Amino acid sequence: MYAGRDMTELSMMAKSDWEDSELAFFHHSLQQIAPYLNSEGQTIHREIIEEIESRGGIKH
């Protein structure tokens, strides 16, 4: 179970300051509801994906 910072706190930070686990969790969560995201949600998800890619992907 995820026990990190919530989206309210993270939204006030640059994606580059997020932990890998936070990026992975919110990417997975937003991926699950992607068909229902509005344009703001889609933008946040795209930024998360771009940050994950810039770090070389998700390490398992």
Side-chain angles (χ1 to χ4, degrees):
M1 172 133 210
Y2 176 75
R5 297 176 284 193
D6 66 13
M7 184 57 85
T8 303
E9 182 176 353
L10 291 171
S11 67
M12 295 183 272
M13 302 170 53
K15 303 291 183 289
S16 59
D17 294 333
W18 290 27
E19 300 291 331
D20 289 347
S21 61
E22 293 165 338
L23 289 167
F25 175 79
F26 285 104
H27 167 58
H28 179 73
S29 297
L30 293 171
Q31 188 177 43
Q32 297 298 308
I33 61 167
Y36 309 104
L37 293 175
N38 63 15
S39 61
E40 183 177 358
Q42 292 172 359
T43 298
I44 292 167
H45 191 209
R46 185 176 63 251
E47 291 170 351
I48 289 170
I49 292 169
E50 289 170 358
E51 182 61 29
I52 290 169
E53 289 174 347
S54 76
R55 295 183 188 193
I58 296 174
K59 283 88 176 161
H60 295 282

